[in-house]
Each structure stands twice: as structure tokens, then as C-alpha cells.
Amino acid sequence: MGSLTVMSVKAVSIALKLSFSGMNQFVYLQTWIFTLIVITCCLLQINYLNKALDTFNTAVISPVYYVMFTSFTILASMIMFKDWDSQNASQIATELCGFITILSGTFLLHRTKDMGNATPKPDEEAPVFGNTNNRTPETAA
């Protein structure tokens, strides 16, 4: 839904840009169809995202939503607007490296979110550093 929203918003924004430049695009049925798709996709996306957040943990939904949204938006952009036809190989490679970096960062953030927050269990003894029995009043503070 997110990628369809992005593609439809791009189509509506192009129509608005052309309309402001003097070529009214709102006389065409396609402009109104894309406007209806934007509204429908936004409402459905909010509805299903809220249902998912009610069912699952936010720490699971956010990374999955972000990665799927980005992946399908790039794919839809390639198909609908042929964005990669006008780019050379280095620009495509740079975009793919950025995409892989985003995916890797999202994965690492999700995978390591609980590191460092571990508290010892009651049956485990916390490590003791130094001798705490021979404290003087000056070192106790």
C-alpha cells in the first residue's frame, strides 16, 4: 500500500505541476483516479498499520514496514516511471549500495536493540570489582 501511495502521489504531483504551469490536468479522468487511489491507499494503510500495531510489538512492525515500504517503492518506481532508464551504471550501483546500507542498518538496529540493557537475574551474582569490605570514610563516598 505504501508504494502505491508514493506512486500515486507522484502522479498527482506531476498533474498539479502541469496544472500550475497552465496545462490543466484535472480535466482528465486519470488525474482523478490517481487522486482517489491516494486517498484510498492512505486510509487502508493507516487502518492496517494500526491493526498490526495492536497485534504485534512495535519493534517488529517498524523495521518490517520500513524495509518493505522502501523495497516496494523502489520496485514500483522502476516499473511505473522507468527511473533507471535515464541513469548510468554508477548511479544505479550507488542507489543499490544506499539501499543495502539502509537494510543493513535497520537489521542491525533491530537485532541489537536489547544489547546493554540486560540486568542480572536474581539467582546470578553480579561481579564485584575490588574489595568493598575495607572502605574508609573518604573512599566510601
Side-chain angles (χ1 to χ4, degrees), residues 43-57 61:
L43 292 175
L44 285 173
Q45 190 175 349
I46 290 171
N47 181 38
Y48 284 114
L49 187 59
N50 282 333
K51 285 182 180 182
L53 288 172
D54 286 341
T55 306
F56 301 103
N57 188 358
I61 296 298

Side-chain angles (χ1 to χ4, degrees), residues 21-105:
S21 68
M23 296 178 280
N24 187 8
Q25 299 296 307
F26 288 94
V27 295
Y28 299 110
L29 180 64
Q30 294 90 346
T31 305
W32 292 106
I33 290 173
F34 279 116
T35 304
L36 184 64
I37 290 172
V38 168
I39 294 168
T40 304
C41 285
C42 285
L43 292 175
L44 285 173
Q45 190 175 349
I46 290 171
N47 181 38
Y48 284 114
L49 187 59
N50 282 333
K51 285 182 180 182
L53 288 172
D54 286 341
T55 306
F56 301 103
N57 188 358
T58 305
V60 173
I61 296 298
S62 295
V64 169
Y65 175 75
Y66 182 74
V67 168
M68 295 298 287
F69 175 82
T70 305
S71 303
F72 283 121
T73 299
I74 290 173
L75 181 66
S77 178
M78 286 172 28
I79 293 170
M80 289 182 71
F81 296 105
K82 297 181 173 61
D83 280 348
W84 285 5
D85 287 350
S86 63
Q87 295 179 352
N88 60 30
S90 67
Q91 290 172 325
I92 293 171
T94 303
E95 188 173 328
L96 287 174
C97 287
F99 179 65
I100 291 170
T101 302
I102 288 171
L103 292 179
S104 301

Side-chain angles (χ1 to χ4, degrees), residues 129-141:
F129 299 103
N131 188 355
T132 58
N133 292 336
N134 296 332
R135 286 192 178 169
T136 59
E138 295 85 27
T139 59

